[in-house]
Amino acid sequence: MAPGRVAFSLRLAFLDISAGLANTVPSMAEPKTSELMETLVSLCKRRGFIFQSSEIYGGLNGFWDYGPLGAELKRNIKDYWWRSMTALRDGVVGLDASIIMHPRIWEASGHTSTFSDLMVDCLLTQKRFRADQIEPQSGTAYFYSGATDAAAGKESKDPFSALIAWGKHPGYAREVARQFYKQRGLKEPALQGERSEAVSNTTRYNPENGSLLTEPRPFNLMLKTSVGPVESADNVSYLRPETAQAIFVQFKNVLEVSRQKLPFGICQIGKAFRNEINPRNFTFRSREFEQMELEFFIRPDEAVEAVCGRVAQPAGPGHPGEPQPDWGWQLWHQYWVEERLGFYESIGLPRASLVEYWQKPDELAHYARATVDVLYKFPFSKRGQNGELIGEELEGIAARSDFDLSQHQRFAARPMTVFDEELKTAWPKLDPAKQAGLSEGFFQNRLKYLLKVGEAPGAAEKQARQDAEALAKGYYIPHVIEPSAGVDRLALALICNAYSQDQAPDERGKLETRVVMRFHPRIAPIKVAVFPLLKNKPELVQKAKEVRGLLRPHMSVFYDEAGAIGRRYRRQDEAGTPFGITIDFDTLGEKGPELKDTVTLRDRDTMKQDRVKIAGLVPMLTARIR
Ligand code: GAP
């Protein structure tokens, strides 16, 4: 295939694989695209990081496959997240739940009724957009009351409108309109009732072709399936839109078997599915993706105050330090925001590339008391007034109160309360005024929740009163802090961040452009490459294979004997391999016994080469990749 052809199809893959299907009308504005993203998409395919799903069948919009390097990268991200959540801290255990769960779960969580975006369809191409993602446009709108085809004796009374940029010839609008009426069966449409109007900042037209869009209407994002051999309304189920709900549903089981005490967390990594209206920006918004979620269960503030005598307040921004028993939800929330920012820095995303965005009250999800989004400044991110990148969401850290467990308690009619021995012991020792104050505060919070989810006022008040009485006996539904991250978005951020170009000398010492993926060694797909200097020297090859065998149990190793050594380095630079080991004649002791069993260790970023002992390789490299 000609090289130009490859570049063209990859460009389409980035913009939107479905964009070219039915779109033959003149475009009002060429879609904006970023050269850097095109380069990255191309590199991802060429080096086997990411492929378009079902590519040989023309692709499937919103679905992606990870090639050999991409699969390793993702695995490293997930392994490190899992280790940082479980092995490297106390009080977090794992779960691996099914993707399809009881449909009532999605009623309880609110996904059935509220998990929808407003969407609009192009009247011409039927392409679907999220209403809030249509860029405001200005220009001249042409309106038509219908069209006739005298020769065929046909007419259409469907009204239509098309927008063209100011100063553009009306012929563009007429051509769009004629195509619309041709789709209604008129071979030679004569447009009827044309009138025009100047419009500013409208979001009613398709920015790709100027056609009118439908009115915005809600579209549920859950992907439906049916369980069992017969398809009917009774066995409709959904591919989970988030991994979180399984954790809530299994909360009691996990608590019992792991014998944890609050505060403690349950984490999970797994696939999630959303029928996104407009998948875009490469893998950023996909229809199938992976999440890494932690649900961290804490005492409600009233229980903290009863046990500790107070609820500590945040002293200011930044990491609040080691967790303390008197922390309420605000300090726990702040703690997890800082822990998560630290995680991203520990795998190579500089702090300056990240943004901590506090959602405004009107942006909060129905369950959230506060949410901080961790944004990464992707090349395709929106820009602020001064042209600075604003960033796009990598992770949301939400304070979800006791909403989810309370909902499952109501819907499944199973208690989600925990018993807190310390609270039971502390409560009778409080003075009556304090007891009354805490009870009242707890009652009000429960009442607010119950009324919000539609309980009748009388029943809600009765239930909230019972909940407050149970608190005094040591029972409550835990509150939750949820750091929820996307594996694919993080992989994309790491790829964007790693990409760089510099100059390096070729075999003849001439400077050439070098593409380097500067992945942090912790997440680099391949940790080390092993090269015999020459492939036709059996002693070098044998020694190199010995070194590979030595390293293999500890890290991912790539062995390469083909081509000039400089070319082999370049290939690994582009794959992001942080270390390269070359076995040469010194290794064999040909230049003196003092260099026998030493190799050169090349650093990808500095290209510096050090002579090191083979015997020291495992500890030296392991320390740098952990
Ligand atoms: N349980 C909470 C939850 O699911 P979310 O903000 O909807 O919250 C969490 O999703 C993370 O999942 C996001 O920050 C993002 O990294 C990832 N994510 C969500 N939708 C995605 C999509 N369509 N494609 C890729 N990643 C997505």
Side-chain angles (χ1 to χ4, degrees):
M1 191 189 284
R5 182 81 189 278
V6 175
F8 176 70
S9 64
L10 286 165
R11 181 168 175 271
L12 273 185
F14 168 54
L15 294 175
D16 177 350
I17 359 175
S18 68
L21 290 182
N23 198 356
T24 52
V25 291
S27 125
M28 235 191 82
E30 280 299 307
K32 286 187 206 106
T33 176
S34 136
E35 268 178 35
L36 174 58
M37 281 311 296
E38 284 182 32
T39 308
L40 285 173
V41 172
S42 163
L43 182 136
C44 280
K45 173 164 178 173
R46 183 162 43 80
R47 291 313 313 257
F49 282 98
I50 302 172
F51 305 127
Q52 192 178 328
S53 162
S54 322
E55 191 190 77
I56 62 168
Y57 286 93
L60 190 58
N61 198 6
F63 297 88
W64 299 94
D65 297 340
Y66 288 80
L69 289 180
E72 293 288 343
L73 176 68
K74 261 182 101 173
R75 183 162 298 282
N76 292 343
I77 292 171
K78 289 188 282 184
D79 285 352
Y80 189 59
W81 183 90
W82 189 263
R83 222 158 60 81
S84 78
M85 282 299 173
T86 58
L88 299 179
R89 64 168 65 246
D90 294 330
V92 177
V93 293
L95 180 72
D96 187 356
S98 65
I99 286 173
I100 296 175
M101 300 188 287
H102 198 291
R104 288 273 287 165
I105 288 173
W106 308 114
E107 287 175 39
S109 68
H111 283 84
T112 311
S113 54
T114 62
F115 191 58
S116 54
D117 281 337
L118 286 179
M119 59 94 188
V120 286
D121 293 339
C122 173
L123 285 178
L124 193 59
T125 62
Q126 281 72 53
K127 187 173 167 186
R128 188 159 283 181
F129 300 89
R130 256 172 65 173
D132 62 345
Q133 286 174 354
I134 303 285
E135 294 275 344
Q137 303 160 80
S138 302
T140 310
Y142 284 80
F143 298 88
Y144 302 94
S145 55
T148 55
D149 181 347
K154 284 186 175 174
E155 91 173 308
S156 164
K157 289 196 168 161
D158 293 340
F160 183 69
S161 176
L163 180 72
I164 57 170
W166 277 318
K168 230 178 178 181
H169 194 277
Y172 283 95
R174 289 173 194 144
E175 182 50 31
V176 176
R178 265 194 287 273
Q179 296 218 20
F180 171 80
Y181 291 111
K182 277 182 184 170
Q183 289 180 359
R184 270 142 195 82
L186 276 63
K187 268 197 182 137
E188 291 299 331
L191 303 173
Q192 301 296 309
E194 180 181 280
R195 66 179 178 84
S196 66
E197 195 180 305
V199 289
S200 298
N201 293 324
T202 175
T203 51
R204 295 291 301 119
Y205 295 88
N206 181 348
E208 291 171 2
N209 60 18
S211 163
L212 187 67
L213 300 163
T214 57
E215 289 293 331
R217 55 176 188 271
F219 171 77
N220 194 291
L221 299 182
M222 283 199 293
L223 273 153
K224 259 190 204 156
T225 186
S226 57
V227 173
V230 183
E231 259 185 60
S232 80
D234 296 337
N235 60 14
V236 165
S237 210
Y238 302 93
L239 305 188
R240 66 182 176 201
E242 62 172 17
T243 60
Q245 292 307 319
I247 298 180
F248 297 124
V249 169
Q250 292 293 1
F251 163 71
K252 274 307 208 55
N253 277 336
V254 177
L255 180 68
E256 256 162 51
V257 298
S258 59
R259 304 182 62 217
Q260 295 284 343
K261 255 179 65 188
L262 259 51
F264 88 103
I266 306 176
C267 67
Q268 174 164 228
I269 299 178
K271 289 272 189 184
F273 302 81
R274 296 182 188 178
N275 205 359
E276 295 285 356
I277 293 163
N278 196 4
R280 65 199 178 117
N281 288 333
F282 200 14
T283 57
F284 180 81
R285 190 173 300 287
S286 308
R287 289 181 167 136
E288 175 177 339
F289 55 96
E290 272 183 286
Q291 288 186 317
M292 307 183 283
E293 297 202 293
L294 167 71
E295 306 303 326
F296 194 76
F297 300 95
I298 56 175
R299 283 173 166 154
D301 279 7
E302 292 84 357
V304 174
E305 194 169 341
V307 173
C308 301
R310 66 180 207 134
V311 177
Q313 294 305 308
H319 201 297
E322 277 303 297
Q324 301 298 325
D326 62 358
W327 280 10
W329 72 267
Q330 279 175 302
L331 268 164
W332 275 115
H333 187 227
Q334 185 174 345
Y335 169 83
W336 277 111
V337 170
E338 293 298 328
E339 287 285 293
R340 297 302 304 141
L341 287 168
F343 171 85
Y344 289 118
E345 287 184 82
S346 75
I347 53 172
L349 293 184
R351 187 66 184 80
S353 70
L354 302 169
V355 177
E356 182 185 328
Y357 175 76
W358 285 77
Q359 287 190 11
K360 300 189 182 74
D362 62 331
E363 294 170 323
L364 290 173
H366 58 283
Y367 50 73
R369 276 181 163 177
T371 299
V372 169
D373 290 335
V374 177
L375 315 181
Y376 173 74
K377 294 176 185 171
F378 287 98
F380 50 77
S381 302
K382 285 200 193 81
R383 286 181 186 269
Q385 282 182 339
N386 302 323
E388 75 286 7
L389 286 172
I390 293 174
E392 300 282 341
E393 182 186 326
L394 275 187
E395 164 159 0
I397 301 141
R400 295 179 77 117
S401 71
D402 55 2
F403 178 84
D404 302 271
L405 290 179
S406 300
Q407 283 293 90
H408 292 302
Q409 174 167 294
R410 285 176 60 239
F411 275 72
R414 298 283 283 270
M416 287 292 171
T417 47
V418 295
F419 174 61
D420 186 332
E421 185 72 55
E422 277 183 277
L423 173 61
K424 187 183 171 218
T425 314
W427 191 272
K429 296 181 193 154
L430 300 174
D431 71 58
K434 184 82 168 172
Q435 286 179 344
L438 291 176
S439 264
E440 181 59 17
F442 194 78
F443 164 77
Q444 288 299 341
N445 282 338
R446 293 298 297 161
L447 183 63
K448 198 164 136 204
Y449 152 72
L450 289 161
L451 292 175
K452 189 169 160 186
V453 295
E455 288 289 341
E461 197 164 332
K462 192 170 159 210
Q463 182 61 56
R465 194 61 70 200
Q466 282 173 11
D467 294 344
E469 282 160 16
L471 180 79
K473 295 178 189 139
Y475 291 93
Y476 53 76
I477 294 176
H479 284 226
V480 169
I481 307 293
E482 177 198 67
S484 168
V487 183
D488 309 78
R489 282 192 187 175
L490 179 51
L492 186 58
L494 290 166
I495 287 171
C496 293
N497 185 67
Y499 180 80
S500 74
Q501 282 189 13
D502 60 14
Q503 299 281 307
D506 68 7
E507 261 76 59
R508 278 168 248 104
K510 201 173 136 238
L511 282 184
E512 61 175 9
T513 301
R514 175 178 85 125
V515 172
V516 200
M517 296 300 281
R518 295 183 194 273
F519 290 120
H520 191 290
R522 271 193 181 124
I523 48 96
I526 302 166
K527 307 300 182 195
V528 59
V530 176
F531 314 112
L533 186 62
L534 298 170
K535 79 166 173 187
N536 53 4
K537 292 284 176 217
E539 315 87 289
L540 290 177
V541 169
Q542 192 198 333
K543 197 72 186 168
K545 287 186 175 167
E546 270 174 35
V547 172
R548 175 181 67 178
L550 176 78
L551 299 176
R552 255 181 177 171
H554 307 278
M555 62 199 77
S556 54
V557 187
F558 188 81
Y559 175 83
D560 189 2
E561 56 181 31
I565 191 75
R567 294 261 290 284
R568 284 184 265 166
Y569 286 155
R570 294 292 169 280
R571 282 202 289 266
Q572 291 309 310
D573 290 341
E574 222 183 26
T577 308
F579 306 107
I581 291 173
T582 306
I583 286 79
D584 55 18
F585 293 104
D586 290 353
T587 316
L588 305 177
E590 291 191 4
K591 284 201 190 144
E594 69 285 358
L595 292 183
K596 189 170 171 11
D597 286 331
T598 64
V599 291
T600 63
L601 179 65
R602 176 183 181 267
D603 181 284
R604 174 199 63 201
D605 298 338
T606 62
M607 291 185 276
K608 211 170 138 260
Q609 302 197 18
D610 291 323
R611 196 99 215 155
V612 297
K613 290 200 168 101
I614 291 176
L617 280 174
V618 169
M620 182 193 299
L621 292 174
T622 322
R624 291 164 79 174
I625 63 172
R626 291 294 281 175

